Amino acid sequence: MEIDKDQHEQYEYARRRLKQKKRLYYHFVLFLIGSLFLFLAERFFNMHPFQGWYLWTITIWFFLFILHFIKVYITDRFMNKTWEREQINRLVAKQEQRIKQLEQKIENDLK
């Protein structure tokens, strides 16, 4: 039963990662097309609310894309279920050690 649960978790993790990567690729393509559109709108349709507006828009969009990339390939890659379990086990072990220390202190105080 444990194997089925582990396989299911692995499958769900793989499915979630694939979905994240697809969204990132979609975001990249949308960024390229949108940047091209903004550039063309500025150059050929004389749309200029203020000087360099399309560069600011593209720069902010690129920054958001970089944040998305970091989330998918750095943060979520290393902070997955295994990492969560390791952190929980480490914190539980610390708590158990602290409880043992307190119990020993209480025993020593009672003697």
Side-chain angles (χ1 to χ4, degrees):
M1 189 70 162
E2 187 67 30
I3 294 173
D4 291 337
K5 183 179 178 184
D6 287 342
Q7 285 178 342
H8 180 69
E9 284 182 9
Q10 289 174 347
Y11 173 78
E12 287 299 318
Y13 173 74
R15 192 175 65 75
R16 186 174 58 83
R17 290 287 296 155
L18 181 62
K19 192 174 185 178
Q20 285 179 333
K21 289 179 181 181
K22 278 177 63 175
R23 286 181 179 167
L24 180 68
Y25 298 149
Y26 176 75
H27 187 177
F28 181 69
V29 169
L30 192 62
F31 168 72
L32 290 178
I33 293 171
S35 297
L36 179 64
F37 173 76
L38 291 173
F39 175 77
L40 294 175
E42 166 69 20
R43 294 292 179 195
F44 298 112
F45 299 118
N46 295 325
M47 297 178 69
H48 24 228
F50 58 89
Q51 188 65 29
W53 67 273
Y54 73 98
L55 290 177
W56 280 103
T57 306
I58 291 171
T59 302
I60 292 169
W61 197 352
F62 182 70
F63 178 73
L64 292 173
F65 174 75
I66 294 298
L67 290 178
H68 190 177
F69 180 86
I70 289 170
K71 181 183 181 333
V72 171
Y73 280 103
I74 296 174
T75 307
D76 284 356
R77 182 176 183 186
F78 296 111
M79 295 182 179
N80 56 22
K81 290 284 187 187
T82 305
W83 179 84
E84 286 179 17
R85 282 190 205 123
E86 290 171 0
Q87 295 301 311
I88 289 170
N89 291 339
R90 186 177 62 81
L91 292 173
V92 167
K94 276 186 175 180
Q95 281 182 325
E96 289 173 352
Q97 182 182 10
R98 182 71 178 141
I99 289 170
K100 287 179 185 178
Q101 289 174 349
L102 290 173
E103 287 174 347
Q104 288 176 352
K105 184 179 179 186
I106 290 172
E107 279 183 23
N108 291 338
D109 289 343
L110 291 176
K111 290 182 183 181

